[in-house]
Amino acid sequence: MVSVAASPAVQPEPSTAPRRVTILGATGSIGTSTLSVIADRPEAFAVEAVTAFGNAERLARVAKEARARVAGIADRSAYDALASALAGSGIEAAAGAAAVEEAASRPVDVVVAGIVGSAGLAPTMAAIRAGSKVALANKECLVCAGDLFMGEARKGGVKILPLDSEHNAVFQALSGHSIDEVDRIILTGSGGPFRDWTKEAMAAANPDQALKHPTWSMGPKISIDSATLMNKGLEVIEAHHLFGVPEEQLDVVVHPQSIIHGMVAYKDGSVIAQMSAPDMRMPIAHCLSWPQRSPIGGPRLDLTRIGRFTFERPDLDRFPALRIARAALGAGSWATNILNAANEVAVAAYLAGNIGFLEIARLVEETIERAAAQGLSHAPGSIKDALALDREGRRIATSLLTRRETA
Ligand code: NDP
Ligand code: MG
């Protein structure tokens, strides 16, 4: 297992040269927060490459603001717009999936993996193969092919730094300890916008209501995942791979205040929790500066203003996605891969107004059952395999959707 937990006993002298950072998904929510942390500390960080899918105008803007060397856009048809927006800036423009992988492969200190969905698999793997530390937000990489990612990182001696707030919290709470000393890992979640809604009300919830997260501001896909609690399910799978802990030792607790992000319960009965304001800039800054800590701006905790913390068990009847994700983890990496593919299809269909909110989890469960019946229950042995399985999962989910629409 890759030791994401252990910090070096003797920490190296902090280097004075700025750390070189590449940001995959620079136009998204994680990308924007990363650029904001970097903009606060221009003496500490320098940007090598930024990438996006198709938003050429925004990518060019952030590339210029961050003085990046390269801007890579996945959608080839956006090349002309990117190149003309960057004309005269000295920043190299590149397009196509290979250009994003090339950007990810440039040797840097840290690559922030901030692409959404399985589209991030190949570029994130390219970053690991190039030997850069990876600050991992793109949890779908571990959900689709966790063994492959952790195996490749172990082989290359590459550090994967958990950027997802819960996992970053656990990483911090594990500092100085070995995983053998751990009894349980506890991931917290706000419970999402429908925490206290009835099932009937949830069935009728529209995307605007589902996108309104009570404590975090995030991209649309993860916001819907937070409303279904699929996000917590994906995070249980992510934690299993990052920390090498079996599913039974991974607890989920609803904590609506979103101040405690994760906890480690040790075998001696002590529980160490990490707290901060709910602001992704904090775990991002932690990853970019690790193993040091840098001063960053932003909200500070005032516990007397928060007043009290509350905790609840997740309701698996109203939020079956968490149960389905745990079952997929138990079934193996083929099932978590299909779970992710079906979930991406279901979330897109929900956002497009084609299915109801409660149908998201149903579609995911049905897709996994169909995939098993079609003999797809074998672990992917390569990223190519993982992407092929992902395509199969999408095909099954899409055919189930079409059947629903025509029924
Ligand atoms: P956003 O939707 O805000 O941003 C996604 C980014 O990925 C954009 O830059 C987008 O480019 C790019 N992108 C999308 N598709 C492709 C593709 N096919 N090829 C290359 N790039 C692509 O997502 P978030 O920032 O919210 O989330 C990113 C990841 O981080 C997700 O895995 C999420 O689960 C995880 N995460 C997010 C948190 C948050 O606070 N937002 C918290 C913890 C984890 P373009 O703009 O051009 O479409
Ligand atoms: Mg999270």
Side-chain angles (χ1 to χ4, degrees), residues 23-33 51-56 58-59 72-75 97 100 113-120 123 136-141 163-166 216-223 225 231 234-235 238 279-280 283-284:
I23 307 160
L24 308 176
T27 51
S29 164
I30 289 291
T32 304
S33 296
T51 77
F53 172 66
N55 195 340
R58 191 174 165 95
L59 183 64
I73 197 144
D75 181 359
V100 173
I115 294 175
V116 62
S118 59
L136 187 74
N138 188 190
K139 62 192 87 182
E140 293 90 347
C141 291
L163 193 154
D164 205 349
S165 57
E166 298 77 4
W216 297 96
S217 158
M218 308 180 286
K221 195 263 180 179
I222 184 173
S223 295
D225 288 348
N231 186 47
L234 301 180
E235 289 182 351
E238 183 184 11
D279 180 342
M280 284 309 293
I284 290 169

Side-chain angles (χ1 to χ4, degrees), residues 224-235:
I224 300 302
D225 288 348
S226 299
T228 57
L229 288 206
M230 181 60 89
N231 186 47
K232 271 323 119 184
L234 301 180
E235 289 182 351

Side-chain angles (χ1 to χ4, degrees), residues 204-251:
N206 66 42
D208 284 345
Q209 293 168 312
L211 286 167
K212 252 190 219 108
H213 196 277
T215 48
W216 297 96
S217 158
M218 308 180 286
K221 195 263 180 179
I222 184 173
S223 295
I224 300 302
D225 288 348
S226 299
T228 57
L229 288 206
M230 181 60 89
N231 186 47
K232 271 323 119 184
L234 301 180
E235 289 182 351
V236 167
I237 300 167
E238 183 184 11
H240 161 76
H241 289 292
L242 283 171
F243 305 116
V245 167
E247 191 259 324
E248 317 78 75
Q249 278 172 268
L250 293 163
D251 291 349

